[in-house]
Amino acid sequence: MKRRALMSVSDKSGILEFARELVKMDVEILSTGGTRKHLEENGVPTTAVDEVTGFPEILGGRVKTLHPLIHGGLLAKHDDSEHQQQMDDNGIAPIEFVCVNLYPFRETISKPDVTVDDAIENIDIGGPTMLRSAAKNHAYVTVIVDSGDYEAVLAELREQQTTSPELRRKLAAKVFRHTAAYDAYISNYLTDLTDEQYPEQLTLTYELSQALRYGENPHQKAAFYKSALGSDFSIAHAEQLHGKELSYNNIQDANAALQIIKEFTMPASVAVKHMNPCGVGTGNTLSESFQKAYEADSTSIFGGIVALNREVDLETAQQLSQIFLEIVIAPSFTEEALAELGKKKNIRVLTVPFETKRRDKWNTVTVEGGLLVQEPDTFGYEDAEIRVVTERQPTEQELEALKLGWSVVKHVKSNAIVVCDESMTLGVGAGQMNRVGAAAIALEQAGEKASGAAMASDAFFPMSDTVETAAKAGIKAIIQPGGSKKDQESIDAANAHGIAMVFTGVRHFKH
């Protein structure tokens, strides 16, 4: 019996060459709709699926391959006598090759003006059914969902006239990954339409972006996957213009830098080390903002990651080039700036689309055996109900400093304290087991600059010791959530030292 291949593809790249090679091997091509038209117009002989089934395509193409004469040919065991007898009795011929890819559902829902009707029409039914049938029966059927696999199949056919069990199983596994991801896009889209907050099952899908040399440490294997429908304003969708490959730790740090830079609309620069900001600066120009970020901690920035929210010009690039940096991220770079940074062989230069509006709906964190899901912490200073709880009111300059500190402290590992003025951080205390310890680190780093500066805390003061420590260093304004049973003790201490204290009512824990 003549060998047969079934082809129905929306992505037609490489399909002509693949079909021509199969025809040369005396394989009959069964095809449908647009795929058949494409093959026939380019000289590849085909047999229409409706000629096999004796039933026309109906319902605008919704039903064309859902037929026993097709799926019997896909699912029959070639070495099972009972299957063979039933095939003979019902006039079913086996299908040895299946080449199918699906309606572009993901691409459709990515369009900003997509309608629900458009999305629904791009849910493929027949395609996944054929793929799953063929993949289930991969002991006998070669199934191809990725045009990049055409040549591997042809290579084995040329050498041994058939495909190996190993290749068929590998291709089948890819099919089930593909259909699982396809169904995940559909289920998540429809779930979003129903406003289901916590569905009984959460199916997430990611695509391999790159294999990494190693993870956090050289003895750990790692890879980077990205969400095809995730935030564009992200390291996952960055374009690398220069430098060596990103590492696992680079990606983590770059992500942290981007989350902080999103807080600012005026020219700003953020320096990050080990996922914590070591310096944040703002200014009238990008160059001025970077100089302040550098001066905030000229030691820790060495080997760090810098994110900037304006196009990098030559002046700023020259400043960046004066120190060793792992990564520089910005919306764009002038040609002169890129040439200047390109003088350094290993520095990674990245751009991301700062203007995008699409953001991730959820943040996820894996724990052993499970997954934590939460909304991103987008609560900012403008969202807070600012309440001055002390006798002294903060000055306008102090309010600007408090605003900057509150914008930064939410991105510092808890317990977190930030000391700053109105345009730059002066000291950062991160990840301490008690709040007064975090304050001591931030104040020590700020040194004499702490006198007259502001302090921001990610959570309330459980007692007055942090205020007392701040007062000794000369802090003049404090912003914190409030909410402790001993709030009054901290307020009394602030009043005693002439410190203005502001409550926001919202904490910013970051574990």
Side-chain angles (χ1 to χ4, degrees):
M1 185 174 292
K2 192 168 187 177
R3 305 168 84 181
R4 298 196 303 171
L6 176 57
M7 295 185 176
S8 179
V9 294
S10 57
D11 173 15
K12 296 178 174 56
S13 57
I15 192 66
L16 282 176
E17 295 77 9
F18 184 59
R20 285 170 179 151
E21 289 299 307
L22 289 183
V23 169
K24 289 179 184 178
M25 298 175 189
D26 201 28
V27 176
E28 179 186 8
I29 307 296
L30 311 183
S31 193
T32 63
T35 304
R36 180 169 184 251
K37 181 180 179 182
H38 180 65
L39 295 174
E40 291 279 355
E41 287 178 348
N42 286 276
V44 179
T46 65
T47 300
V49 166
D50 56 14
E51 292 179 36
V52 175
T53 63
F55 201 92
E57 292 185 17
I58 61 172
L59 306 181
R62 284 189 171 198
V63 178
K64 48 194 172 187
T65 59
L66 299 170
H67 195 282
L69 290 175
I70 296 298
H71 286 275
L74 296 176
L75 285 164
K77 296 180 179 180
H78 296 188
D79 54 2
D80 185 304
S81 58
E82 186 174 347
H83 280 206
Q84 291 302 312
Q85 185 60 56
Q86 291 177 6
M87 290 177 72
D88 291 343
D89 292 345
N90 291 282
I92 300 173
I95 298 172
E96 187 176 347
F97 305 96
V98 171
C99 180
V100 170
N101 50 59
L102 308 177
Y103 294 170
F105 180 82
R106 186 190 75 193
E107 293 78 5
T108 298
I109 62 173
S110 296
K111 298 174 183 176
D113 57 348
V114 64
T115 65
V116 175
D117 286 345
D118 285 341
I120 297 299
E121 280 306 308
N122 277 278
I123 296 176
D124 202 327
I125 301 300
T129 307
M130 288 187 290
L131 285 173
R132 288 172 61 83
S133 295
K136 175 178 179 175
N137 206 31
H138 68 270
Y140 313 97
V141 180
T142 302
V143 57
I144 308 140
V145 73
D146 181 354
S147 60
D149 292 319
Y150 292 158
E151 187 50 45
V153 171
L154 291 174
E156 288 202 358
L157 290 175
R158 293 185 189 109
E159 183 177 341
Q160 56 200 29
Q161 290 76 55
T162 188
T163 54
S164 64
E166 293 77 17
L167 178 60
R168 292 197 298 274
R169 177 154 292 177
K170 180 179 178 180
L171 295 174
K174 180 178 281 192
V175 162
F176 283 115
R177 292 195 299 270
H178 183 77
T179 57
Y182 193 80
D183 284 342
Y185 291 129
I186 297 169
S187 66
N188 290 335
Y189 174 77
L190 294 176
T191 299
D192 286 344
L193 292 180
T194 63
D195 292 324
E196 185 82 42
Q197 188 171 21
Y198 302 119
E200 73 285 349
Q201 290 182 316
L202 180 64
T203 306
L204 305 177
T205 184
Y206 293 85
E207 297 176 349
L208 181 64
S209 179
Q210 65 186 99
L212 303 173
R213 287 183 298 158
Y214 54 82
E216 285 181 296
N217 300 289
H219 61 275
Q220 295 171 271
K221 295 179 180 179
F224 182 33
Y225 286 79
K226 68 179 179 181
S227 170
L229 297 177
S231 169
D232 291 331
F233 191 175
S234 66
I235 187 63
H237 290 85
E239 179 184 359
Q240 185 164 348
L241 305 180
H242 176 75
K244 60 184 181 180
E245 187 178 274
L246 293 172
S247 71
Y248 182 99
N249 292 333
N250 287 157
I251 293 167
Q252 290 268 51
D253 287 336
N255 176 66
L258 282 179
Q259 302 318 307
I260 303 170
I261 202 69
K262 290 177 184 181
E263 299 286 342
F264 299 95
T265 55
M266 66 185 303
S269 299
V270 172
V272 164
K273 199 74 172 289
H274 301 297
M275 295 180 67
N276 280 302
C278 57
V280 176
T282 62
N284 293 319
T285 65
L286 194 65
S287 173
E288 180 185 348
S289 76
F290 174 71
Q291 187 61 33
K292 290 180 179 179
Y294 170 75
E295 291 173 357
D297 188 345
S298 59
T299 299
S300 297
I301 196 174
F302 183 85
I305 281 75
V306 172
L308 312 99
N309 66 351
R310 296 288 192 278
E311 181 175 69
V312 175
D313 55 17
L314 179 59
E315 181 183 1
T316 308
Q318 289 170 337
Q319 292 170 281
L320 292 163
S321 295
Q322 295 304 306
I323 55 177
F324 167 61
L325 296 172
E326 290 277 2
I327 302 175
V328 175
I329 312 169
S332 58
F333 298 80
T334 67
E335 290 185 14
E336 297 82 3
L338 189 57
E340 176 67 23
L341 292 170
K343 294 175 183 177
K344 292 200 165 188
K345 179 181 178 182
N346 292 328
I347 190 171
R348 291 93 163 171
V349 179
L350 307 178
T351 62
V352 296
F354 275 59
E355 71 282 356
T356 186
K357 300 298 182 184
R358 190 171 71 188
R359 302 290 177 89
D360 286 346
K361 182 179 179 181
W362 301 103
N363 286 342
T364 59
V365 177
T366 58
V367 296
E368 187 164 3
L371 183 76
L372 289 168
V373 178
Q374 69 171 350
E375 292 178 330
D377 184 2
T378 59
F379 193 96
Y381 184 89
E382 291 76 11
D383 303 308
E385 295 183 8
I386 299 298
R387 184 163 62 97
V388 180
V389 295
T390 50
E391 296 167 0
R392 188 173 83 78
Q393 297 283 319
T395 66
E396 287 299 318
Q397 188 175 15
E398 287 170 348
L399 280 173
E400 288 301 310
L402 293 174
K403 180 179 179 180
L404 188 147
W406 189 243
S407 297
V408 174
V409 78
K410 67 186 281 190
H411 299 282
V412 180
K413 296 287 188 178
S414 300
N415 287 316
I417 294 288
V418 169
V419 175
C420 63
D421 63 22
E422 71 278 7
S423 64
M424 62 184 285
T425 56
L426 304 172
V428 178
Q432 297 306 298
M433 286 63 72
N434 63 75
R435 194 154 302 282
V436 72
I441 292 171
L443 290 166
E444 181 182 0
Q445 184 184 352
E448 295 180 356
K449 294 179 180 178
S451 181
M455 174 184 283
S457 174
D458 66 334
F460 63 63
F461 297 152
M463 53 192 68
S464 62
D465 51 2
T466 303
V467 179
E468 296 291 349
T469 301
K472 290 178 183 177
I475 292 293
K476 289 301 181 184
I478 294 174
I479 188 168
Q480 59 132 321
S484 168
K485 291 180 180 180
K486 296 184 178 181
D487 272 348
Q488 194 58 50
E489 288 187 16
S490 294
I491 294 169
D492 291 343
N495 283 330
H497 295 288
I499 296 173
M501 184 179 287
V502 168
F503 281 6
T504 65
V506 174
R507 78 179 190 199
H508 280 311
F509 271 164
K510 184 177 177 63
H511 283 79

